């Protein structure tokens, strides 16, 4: 029989989701990028649990995921 593999869609990077990071923060040093990602994750989690509409939930979750991936890349340098 045939085996079908489900290919998951590519996840957007933090540069694609957050224009401030893409245009400005990514040009700064690694410590500043790490600090920005940590603050972005904290603030996004806060908004997710306290004051966001159902419409914003998928975006915030995607933003947290992208910031976490970027943070892992920065810490591995």
């Amino acid at each position: 029989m045939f085996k079908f593999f489900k290919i998951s869609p590519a996840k957007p990077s933090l540069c694609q989701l957050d224009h401030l990071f893409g245009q400005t923060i990514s040009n700064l040093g690694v410590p500043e990028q790490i600090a920005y990602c940590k603050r972005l994750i904290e603030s996004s989690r806060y908004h997710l649990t306290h004051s966001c509409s159902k419409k914003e939930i998928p975006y915030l979750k995607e933003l947290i995921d992208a910031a976490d991936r970027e943070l892992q890349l920065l810490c591995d340098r």
Side-chain angles (χ1 to χ4, degrees), residues 14-68:
L14 186 56
C15 290
Q16 293 171 325
L17 294 174
D18 184 11
H19 295 290
L20 177 62
F21 184 84
Q23 294 176 357
T24 306
I25 305 299
S26 63
N27 295 324
L28 299 176
V30 173
E32 290 83 7
Q33 291 180 39
I34 290 172
Y36 180 82
C37 287
K38 287 180 179 180
R39 285 192 306 271
L40 182 62
I41 291 169
E42 289 174 12
S43 65
S44 297
R45 284 185 179 153
Y46 177 82
H47 288 298
L48 193 60
T49 58
H50 288 89
S51 62
C52 75
S53 65
K54 288 184 179 184
K55 205 177 203 181
E56 295 174 314
I57 290 173
Y59 173 73
L60 287 172
K61 287 183 177 181
E62 198 169 44
L63 189 62
I64 291 168
D65 188 42
D68 191 42

